[in-house]
Amino acid sequence: MARLFILALFILNFLTAEGQEVFKHYGVNEGLSQSSVYCIFQDKEGFLWVGTADGLNRFDGYSFRQVNIKGSQSEKYHYFWKNIIQDSEGNLWIGGNPGGFFYDYKKEELTRIHFNELDTLKETGIKVIGEDKNYNVWMLCSSNYIIWYNIEKHFFTIKKPLENFIKPFSYYVYGAVMNNGKLLLGTSNGLLIYDKETNRVDSIKNYSDTKSSVSHIIPGNNDCYYITSDSGLSVYNNSTGKMSSLVSEYNHKKIVFTCVIRIGNNLYLTTPNDGLYLYDIIQKKIITTYHHATDGNSLSFDALQCLFIDKTNQLWIGSDGGGLNKMDLNQKFKLYRTGITNGMKFSADFIKCFYKDKYGRIWFGTHDKGLNIYDTVNDTTLIFNASNHQLPGNIVGDIFKDSKKRIWIGTDLGICYTDEDLSTFHNVKISDKIKTIKGTSFVFRFYELKNHDLIAATYHGLLSYDETKQSFSWVDSTDNYAISIMQAKNNKIWVGHYYSPLTIYRVEQKDEKAYFTVEKELPQFKNIRSMFEDNNNHIWMASETGLIDYNPVNNTSVQYNESNGLANRYIYGIIPYKNFLWLTTNKGISRFDKETKTFVNFSTEDGLQSMEFNTGAYYRADDGELFFGGVNGFNSFYPDKLFINNYLSNIEISSFSLLNRNLPVDSLKLINKEITFHYNENIFDLDFSLLDYSAPNKNSYYYSISQDSTWVLLGNQHHIHLSELAPGHYSLYVKAKNNDGFEIPKQLLISFTVLPPFYKTWWFVLFSFIISISIISFVIWYVYIHKLKLRLSHIEREKEILQVRQRISRDMHDEIGSGLSRVSLLSQLSGGYSNNKEKLDENLLKIKNISQLLNGQLNEMIWSVNPLNDTLQNMLGYIHQYAGELLEENSISYMINFPEDIPEVKISPDLRRNIYSITKEVLNNSLKYSGCKEIKIDFTFTKGGTFHYIISDNGCGFDINHIREFGNGLKNIKQRAKESGITFIIESEKGKGTTINLLGTLETKITT
C-alpha cells in the first residue's frame, strides 16, 4: 500500500501549546483620555489607574473617569509616565513631566508636585520609585536630583548626590528601593547605587561601562533585581554584586526592552516596536506575540511601554498609541484558531468535529478545508484534503475511532479511514449510489453498537458497515436527514432527525446481519442534534428549543431554556461529565448541574472562540479533555482543572449623583460620612462595580434597601436609580457575584437619610403640638375670660344700674323729697290762710316756684340716665341750654364758645354726668360768691379725643392758698373730676376773678 505524501506545516505557538492568547482592547472610544499609556496601577480598593500622555484615568471595569488637575496648573501638560504608587496613607504618587503628581483620596484632588529649586533645570520630569520602611516616598528628577517625602513629618527633602567616579553625563531614568535601604538607580548610561546616609552614588562594575540606557527595574527573589534596557534583559544580584545578561538579542537581532514584570517563573517584557515577549526563567526560552491588523484578538499595537498584573491575574499592557490591552492569565479555555500573531496555521477556523490520538495530537475537521492534525508537542500542523487525494471531500463531518483502532472520517463526498500513524487512507464504498448535496456534510455521526457494528448517520438516513464486503449499505434510506445516534441500555437505537421525528429502532440479528425495525416515533422531538442516556435511564437531548430531560417509562419530559438560566435554547451538543452536562449553543457554552438544576454560562469573556458553535463539534478525549468547535476556531479544557474565580474583590462606588450633581465618592467613603439630602431632592443615581476585571460583563449584582428585605436582581446592570423615597433613614445594600457565580461575602453598604419637609420634622411636630395646645388653651382661656368679662360686665352693669338707682333714689330723696315736703308743708299752711288772701297768695307762689324747680330736677335726672344723650353733641347742647337760662335769669352777661360742628362722638354716661354736674357746681358758686358780672365758657377738643373745658368769671376772686380745704363744692368738683379721669386746675386771684380748667379724654378719637 503506497504511502501518501503528507503536507506538514511547522509553526511556533505563543505560550507553548497553551492555546492562543486573547487581548481585550481599551482606547479613546472606550473612554480612555489618550491612547499612549505610560503607567498602570491598581489601588488598595481595586480601582485601576491609567496614566497617559494626556491625563490620568480611573477604571472600574466598565468606564474610565478622567481625573483633572486642580488649580492653576489644570491647563498645563498632563503627561503621566513611568510609575504610580500608593503610600501607606492611601494616597497616590504619579510620575510626570514636568513635575510629578499627587492624588489625595480624602479630598479627591489631583495636584502637581512642584519644586521651586528645580525650576531653572532643563529636565524636570519626576519618576516615582516607591515607599521605604521608614515611610519615605522616593522620587527621581531627570536632572539627577533625588527627592523623598516623609509621610509622618510631611516634609520634602531634595538632594543632589555626590558622585564617586568619573563617567559620561547621564540622567536618572528609573530606580528601586533595595532591601538594605539604598536605591538602585537606572540611568541613561548605566546602573548606580545611592546611599542616603552619605548622599553619594557609586557605579556598578562591569555594567556602567556598557553605556546601556536603563528603562525599568523590578525586584526578584534573593535580593536580585531585573533590569530592562536598550541592551536587553539583565539581572543584578545585590548580595554578590554580580550583573548577568539574560537576553540581549532575539533571532540574531539586538533587542530593546522598555518594561518587565514577573509572574511565577515567567517574565513578561515590552518592546518599543516588537510587541510582547515572554521569557521563561527556568527553560530560558523566549516566546513572542505581535499585533496583526487582521486579528482582532491580537495586541492593539507593537509599541509597548508598561505592564501591570492586577489582583485577579489580569495582565495589563500599555501601548504607545494603541491604548490599553488586557490579557487574562486565568483563561479558562484554550483557544485554537489560525493566525499570524500566535504562529498557528490551520486550513480554516470553521470546525465540524474532533479526535485526540494517543500522541496527544488534535484532529479536527473543517467545513470546507479538509482535515487538520495539530501536534501540540512539536507545534506542527498536518493538513489533509481532497485536492491531495487523501480525503474523498473537504467537508469533514465526523472523525471516529472504532474498536479496531481505525480512524473513520466522514466527508461530504464519501467515507474513508486511516490509523493514528497515518500510514494510509482507505476510501470505503457505499453499496448504493448516493446523491450528494454541494456544501453539505454527508456524514454527521459515526456510532459503534454494542456488537461492534458501525453505523453512520447521514443526510439520507442510516448506513451500516459490512466488514465482509468492506462497504456501507443503507439501513434506512428515507432521506430523513439523520444527525444523531445513540444506543440505549435496552439496546434500542435512537436516531435524531433534522426534519423528521425522533425514531426508536429495534435491532434484530439474522444470518449474522442486523435488521433495523422502527418501533416507535416521538413526534414531539425534532431536530435532536445530540443525546445520551444517564444512570436513571433518562434520555437527555439537545434541541432547538432547549435542553430536554425525557423519561421513557412514563413518556414525560422537562425542558430547560432561557427562563431556567440557559444562555440560549438552540443547543448543538451535549457532553456529560460527572454530574454536569456541558452544552454548546448560539450564545456560548453552558454547564448544567443535574442536582441543583442550575446553569453556569461561559462567553467570549472567558476565552471562547466565539458565541456560536457547530453541530457535531463536541468531543471528549480519553484523557478527559473536552473540545468544542465553532465558527471561529475551537476551545479545549479539562473540566476538573477549570479555573474558578473565587477572588474576594471589593464592591466599590464609582459615582454618586444627586439631581445630576456628582458627590465626592472617595472622601465620602474614607470619612465614613452618612449621606443626607432633602425630601425635594431625593432623586439620585449610584454607579458601582465589583472590581474584578476577569470578565466584568459577567458579574451580577443585587440590591436591597434594607438587609432583611428582598434582594432585587440587577443582572449585569451596575447602576441604581432611586427616587421619591419617603423621608427617613435608609441602608442600601449591594452584593455581587463574579463571572463564575462566586458570591462576594463583603457587601457594599450606603447609609443615607432623606430629610422630611420642615412641617414633618420632629421639632416642627413638637412645636406645632405646643402651638396647638397653646392655641386651644388660649381659646379656652379667651372664652373663659370673655364669659367672665361678660359676667363681670353684667355684674358691673347691674352694679351701675344699682348705683344709678341708688343715685336717682338719693337725688329724689334729697332734692325731690325735700321739695315735695316743702310743698306739702306750704299746702297745709295755706289751708290756715283761707281768710288771709295775701298769705295764701304768697304760699301758692312758693309752691309754684318749688314745683318748677322740682320739674327741672326731674328733667335733669331723666337726661342723665337716657343713653341716647351719651354723645358730645348732646352734652354740650344741654350745658349750653342750662347755662344760658341760668345766667339770663340772674342777669349775668355770658359768652359760650362751643365748636360749630360737633361730631357724633360717643361718651360715657359717667363722663357726661360729671362734666354737667361740675358745670352746675361752678356756675352756682360763681353766682353765689364771686359777685361777677360776666362768665365765659369754652370747650375745645382734638382729633386724638382730648378736650379742654374752661369756665371763668370776672368776680372778686380769692387767695387760692387760703381756700377752704373741706368746702363741699370744691370737694365735689374734685371727686367728680377724679371719677372721670379729668385733670382739675383752678386759677384765682383776689380782684381778678376765677378760672376752672378741666382737661381729659373723650374715650373716643374724633373723626371728621
Side-chain angles (χ1 to χ4, degrees):
M1 190 175 296
R3 184 176 298 273
L4 298 178
F5 172 78
I6 299 176
L7 173 65
L9 299 175
F10 295 89
I11 63 174
L12 178 66
N13 174 33
F14 184 57
L15 293 183
T16 62
E18 288 299 317
Q20 181 178 348
E21 294 303 319
V22 176
F23 295 92
K24 186 172 179 61
H25 309 143
Y26 301 90
V28 175
N29 291 339
E30 287 72 36
L32 193 64
S33 63
Q34 211 261 356
S35 59
S36 293
V37 177
Y38 295 125
C39 50
I40 309 168
F41 179 75
Q42 187 176 27
D43 63 25
K44 295 174 184 177
E45 304 299 329
F47 287 105
L48 199 73
W49 294 81
V50 183
T52 72
D54 185 25
L56 180 66
N57 304 262
R58 194 184 77 173
F59 185 54
D60 63 3
Y62 301 102
S63 61
F64 291 91
R65 189 190 84 178
Q66 186 169 354
V67 182
N68 297 316
I69 301 173
K70 182 184 178 182
S72 60
Q73 302 293 322
S74 61
E75 300 300 324
K76 295 187 178 180
Y77 300 113
H78 295 180
Y79 194 91
F80 297 82
W81 70 325
K82 283 302 179 185
N83 203 14
I84 305 175
I85 71 159
Q86 188 168 26
D87 65 26
S88 52
E89 291 188 343
N91 299 314
L92 298 183
W93 300 78
I94 310 108
N97 191 18
F101 300 91
F102 175 77
Y103 181 78
D104 189 319
Y105 259 94
K106 292 183 180 179
K107 296 181 180 179
E108 286 191 298
E109 291 179 358
L110 178 67
T111 55
R112 191 181 295 276
I113 305 171
H114 176 74
F115 304 101
N116 294 329
E117 299 94 321
L118 307 180
D119 282 348
T120 59
L121 300 178
K122 183 178 180 181
E123 296 290 338
T124 58
I126 297 292
K127 298 91 176 176
V128 180
I129 299 176
E131 181 180 355
D132 64 19
K133 60 184 179 181
N134 295 318
Y135 305 105
N136 294 314
V137 176
W138 290 88
M139 289 164 273
L140 302 177
C141 176
S142 299
S143 295
N144 295 359
Y145 280 82
I146 294 179
I147 307 163
W148 65 89
Y149 175 79
N150 187 272
I151 295 175
E152 292 181 331
K153 298 179 180 179
H154 304 287
F155 185 75
F156 279 100
T157 302
I158 304 175
K159 294 286 187 179
K160 177 72 172 179
L162 302 175
E163 298 179 349
N164 291 337
F165 55 92
I166 299 175
K167 67 175 184 63
F169 173 79
S170 63
Y171 55 88
Y172 298 161
V173 178
Y174 205 79
V177 180
M178 297 195 294
N179 296 335
N180 59 8
K182 296 182 180 180
L183 300 186
L184 184 62
L185 304 179
T187 76
S188 60
N189 195 38
L191 203 62
L192 304 174
I193 293 179
Y194 173 72
D195 189 339
K196 175 186 174 185
E197 301 301 325
T198 62
N199 192 37
R200 292 181 177 274
V201 292
D202 292 291
S203 63
I204 295 177
K205 294 181 180 179
N206 75 24
Y207 187 74
S208 61
D209 294 337
T210 62
K211 299 182 180 180
S212 299
S213 179
V214 176
S215 56
H216 198 213
I217 304 172
I218 63 167
N221 296 332
N222 303 319
D223 206 18
C224 290
Y225 299 86
Y226 293 100
I227 298 106
T228 59
S229 69
D230 56 4
S231 296
L233 174 67
S234 303
V235 60
Y236 169 68
N237 189 316
N238 186 49
S239 299
T240 63
K242 183 180 179 181
M243 175 71 71
S244 302
S245 176
L246 300 179
V247 180
S248 60
E249 62 178 33
Y250 181 71
N251 287 341
H252 308 292
K253 184 179 71 171
K254 181 181 177 182
I255 191 166
V256 176
F257 293 125
T258 54
C259 186
V260 60
I261 192 169
R262 179 172 180 172
I263 304 172
N265 291 322
N266 294 324
L267 293 176
Y268 287 87
L269 301 127
T270 58
T271 66
N273 283 299
D274 293 326
L276 181 66
Y277 281 57
L278 183 145
Y279 176 73
D280 189 316
I281 299 173
I282 305 300
Q283 299 182 14
K284 295 181 172 51
K285 183 178 180 180
I286 291 179
I287 304 166
T288 63
T289 186
Y290 307 100
H291 162 74
H292 194 271
T294 60
D295 188 352
N297 292 310
S298 68
L299 281 168
S300 62
F301 211 51
D302 283 333
L304 306 179
Q305 286 292 328
C306 57
L307 294 165
F308 185 81
I309 184 75
D310 71 17
K311 299 172 185 178
T312 56
N313 218 26
Q314 308 296 309
L315 180 63
W316 298 87
I317 307 155
S319 71
D320 195 359
L324 190 62
N325 295 261
K326 185 194 79 170
M327 181 173 72
D328 189 353
L329 299 183
N330 297 324
Q331 198 165 354
K332 301 179 184 300
F333 304 100
K334 295 179 185 177
L335 173 62
Y336 301 86
R337 69 158 65 104
T338 186
I340 295 176
T341 60
N342 63 341
M344 293 180 181
K345 187 64 177 178
F346 303 145
S347 63
D349 286 328
F350 196 106
I351 311 302
K352 301 285 291 181
C353 53
F354 299 98
Y355 170 68
K356 185 176 182 181
D357 63 24
K358 62 184 178 182
Y359 302 111
R361 297 177 301 185
I362 303 170
W363 301 42
F364 58 94
T366 68
H367 179 65
D368 58 356
K369 301 296 181 182
L371 172 69
N372 290 248
I373 300 177
Y374 176 59
D375 189 331
T376 59
V377 177
N378 297 311
D379 301 324
T380 60
T381 302
L382 306 176
I383 299 176
F384 304 88
N385 52 46
S387 62
N388 291 321
H389 306 292
Q390 294 111 341
L391 303 179
N394 286 328
I395 300 178
V396 180
D398 196 22
I399 307 170
F400 179 77
K401 179 183 179 180
D402 66 12
S403 56
K404 294 181 172 57
K405 299 183 180 181
R406 293 172 295 193
I407 310 298
W408 293 89
I409 303 167
T411 74
D412 56 330
L413 299 178
I415 300 172
C416 67
Y417 68 87
T418 183
D419 55 31
E420 291 186 347
D421 294 324
L422 300 171
S423 55
T424 188
F425 286 84
H426 301 273
N427 289 330
V428 180
K429 294 181 180 180
I430 299 174
S431 59
D432 298 321
K433 185 177 181 181
I434 62 172
K435 178 182 178 183
T436 61
I437 300 176
K438 185 176 181 181
T440 303
S441 297
F442 171 64
V443 177
F444 287 98
R445 209 71 177 162
F446 290 106
Y447 194 89
E448 188 172 10
L449 302 180
K450 296 175 183 178
N451 63 0
H452 302 300
D453 283 350
L454 182 68
I455 57 177
T458 75
Y459 61 68
H460 281 301
L462 295 181
L463 286 173
S464 177
Y465 182 67
D466 190 324
E467 291 285 353
T468 303
K469 298 179 180 180
Q470 295 189 351
S471 65
F472 282 94
S473 59
W474 293 106
V475 172
D476 177 16
S477 180
T478 57
D479 291 338
N480 57 11
Y481 219 128
I483 54 177
S484 59
I485 312 172
M486 179 202 71
Q487 186 174 21
K489 295 175 182 178
N490 61 5
N491 295 325
K492 303 291 178 64
I493 308 299
W494 294 57
V495 180
H497 304 283
Y498 190 79
Y499 299 112
S500 304
L502 179 67
T503 305
I504 301 175
Y505 292 88
R506 184 176 65 255
V507 182
E508 298 177 351
Q509 292 290 131
K510 292 183 180 180
D511 301 328
E512 298 182 355
K513 185 176 181 180
Y515 291 89
F516 288 72
T517 304
V518 175
E519 183 173 281
K520 66 185 297 187
E521 290 184 343
L522 300 175
Q524 68 268 38
F525 304 126
K526 292 183 179 180
N527 196 9
I528 303 302
R529 295 171 178 264
S530 177
M531 53 188 157
F532 87 98
E533 183 179 18
D534 67 15
N535 294 331
N536 297 320
N537 300 323
H538 284 216
I539 310 299
W540 294 83
M541 309 178 201
S543 77
E544 63 183 359
T545 59
L547 175 65
I548 299 171
D549 175 10
Y550 176 64
N551 187 344
V553 176
N554 53 22
N555 192 33
T556 60
S557 63
V558 178
Q559 185 164 284
Y560 301 91
N561 51 38
E562 291 90 342
S563 64
N564 307 105
L566 180 64
N568 176 251
R569 67 181 60 197
Y570 202 107
I571 303 175
Y572 290 106
I574 303 176
I575 298 180
Y577 188 85
K578 295 184 178 178
N579 199 52
F580 298 106
L581 303 182
W582 290 88
L583 317 172
T584 54
T585 73
N586 276 329
K587 287 189 178 179
I589 294 175
S590 295
R591 187 187 68 186
F592 178 69
D593 189 324
K594 294 199 304 179
E595 286 187 2
T596 63
K597 308 298 191 242
T598 57
F599 290 89
V600 175
N601 301 312
F602 302 93
S603 67
T604 52
E605 294 260 8
D606 300 297
L608 298 183
Q609 50 81 32
S610 74
M611 296 297 283
E612 182 179 352
F613 287 82
N614 286 328
T615 302
Y618 58 95
Y619 171 73
R620 176 178 175 176
D622 292 338
D623 63 355
E625 188 173 13
L626 305 188
F627 293 84
F628 295 104
V631 298
N632 196 25
F634 66 93
N635 299 102
S636 73
F637 64 100
Y638 291 91
D640 289 337
K641 298 179 181 180
L642 188 71
F643 174 78
I644 301 299
N645 181 13
N646 56 9
Y647 179 76
L648 302 180
S649 301
N650 292 330
I651 309 171
E652 296 293 342
I653 302 173
S654 298
S655 66
F656 185 91
S657 62
L658 182 64
L659 292 176
N660 296 320
R661 174 171 52 88
N662 288 329
L663 298 179
V665 174
D666 292 335
S667 58
L668 181 70
K669 177 178 57 182
L670 288 174
I671 64 177
N672 197 26
K673 181 181 178 182
E674 183 176 283
I675 307 168
T676 301
F677 44 86
H678 294 281
Y679 74 99
N680 57 354
E681 59 178 7
N682 66 342
I683 300 176
F684 65 87
D685 294 271
L686 177 72
D687 288 293
F688 46 85
S689 175
L690 175 63
L691 299 179
D692 185 323
Y693 303 98
S694 303
N697 291 328
K698 294 189 67 181
N699 297 336
S700 57
Y701 300 93
Y702 306 76
Y703 82 92
S704 173
I705 293 295
S706 64
Q707 202 168 27
D708 297 330
S709 63
T710 303
W711 287 95
V712 179
L713 173 63
L714 294 170
N716 185 244
Q717 179 182 339
H718 49 96
H719 173 85
I720 294 176
H721 174 82
L722 295 176
S723 62
E724 299 182 358
L725 291 174
H729 178 78
Y730 294 90
S731 294
L732 175 63
Y733 293 86
V734 178
K735 68 178 182 179
K737 293 181 180 179
N738 66 15
N739 59 308
D740 285 334
F742 180 80
E743 184 169 331
I744 306 302
K746 185 178 179 181
Q747 299 173 359
L748 175 65
L749 169 62
I750 304 170
S751 297
F752 60 93
T753 299
V754 179
L755 297 177
F758 73 92
Y759 51 83
K760 289 186 178 181
T761 56
W762 68 266
W763 59 265
F764 184 83
V765 172
L766 179 60
F767 176 75
S768 300
F769 176 76
I770 294 173
I771 292 298
S772 299
I773 294 299
S774 300
I775 292 174
I776 293 172
S777 301
F778 174 77
V779 170
I780 294 173
W781 174 84
Y782 179 80
V783 171
Y784 172 76
I785 294 300
H786 181 67
K787 289 182 177 181
L788 183 61
K789 284 183 176 180
L790 289 177
R791 177 72 174 165
L792 292 174
S793 176
H794 180 71
I795 293 172
E796 289 292 329
R797 187 65 178 167
E798 289 181 345
K799 185 178 179 181
E800 289 178 1
I801 293 173
L802 180 59
Q803 290 175 349
V804 170
R805 291 176 63 187
Q806 289 175 346
R807 180 174 55 80
I808 294 173
S809 177
R810 185 176 61 252
D811 291 344
M812 291 183 69
H813 178 272
D814 293 342
E815 297 180 8
I816 305 299
S818 61
L820 290 176
S821 296
R822 289 179 64 194
V823 170
S824 177
L825 179 60
L826 290 173
S827 298
Q828 290 177 3
L829 291 174
S830 297
Y833 297 132
S834 57
N835 296 321
N836 190 346
K837 185 176 185 303
E838 183 180 349
K839 285 286 186 180
L840 179 62
D841 291 337
E842 182 182 351
N843 283 345
L844 291 174
L845 179 61
K846 289 181 179 178
I847 292 172
K848 175 183 176 183
N849 292 334
I850 293 171
S851 298
Q852 289 177 344
L853 178 61
L854 290 175
N855 183 57
Q857 290 175 340
L858 284 173
N859 287 334
E860 287 181 12
M861 290 181 189
I862 294 170
W863 176 81
S864 66
V865 298
N866 189 351
L868 296 176
N869 297 320
D870 292 340
T871 65
L872 178 62
Q873 188 179 38
N874 285 334
M875 182 190 74
L876 296 179
Y878 197 78
I879 290 173
H880 193 286
Q881 179 182 349
Y882 167 77
E885 291 177 354
L886 177 64
L887 296 175
E888 287 178 0
E889 288 177 359
N890 290 278
S891 301
I892 300 298
S893 176
Y894 66 91
M895 182 181 296
I896 300 175
N897 294 320
F898 287 171
E900 293 183 2
D901 295 324
I902 303 173
E904 290 287 337
V905 177
K906 279 289 221 182
I907 59 175
S908 68
D910 288 339
L911 178 64
R912 175 169 59 88
R913 186 182 67 252
N914 286 330
I915 291 177
Y916 174 72
S917 297
I918 291 171
T919 303
K920 283 178 61 179
E921 190 73 32
V922 170
L923 291 178
N924 287 325
N925 285 339
S926 293
L927 292 175
K928 289 180 180 180
Y929 306 113
S930 69
C932 65
K933 300 297 182 178
E934 182 181 33
I935 292 178
K936 290 184 180 180
I937 302 175
D938 293 283
F939 189 93
T940 60
F941 57 84
T942 66
K943 289 184 178 181
T946 61
F947 66 87
H948 190 183
Y949 187 31
I950 304 172
I951 302 175
S952 62
D953 63 40
N954 60 355
C956 63
F958 59 89
D959 186 354
I960 198 168
N961 295 319
H962 293 87
I963 189 171
R964 249 191 331 151
E965 185 175 353
F966 300 102
N968 287 332
L970 185 57
K971 184 176 180 180
N972 289 338
I973 292 173
K974 289 182 177 180
Q975 180 62 35
R976 292 182 183 280
K978 184 177 179 181
E979 288 178 0
S980 295
I982 298 173
T983 301
F984 172 74
I985 302 173
I986 185 169
E987 299 174 358
S988 184
E989 187 176 349
K990 285 185 177 183
K992 293 186 179 181
T994 301
T995 300
I996 301 298
N997 293 276
L998 299 176
L999 293 93
T1001 304
L1002 297 175
E1003 300 177 357
T1004 304
K1005 292 182 179 181
I1006 307 301
T1007 57
T1008 58

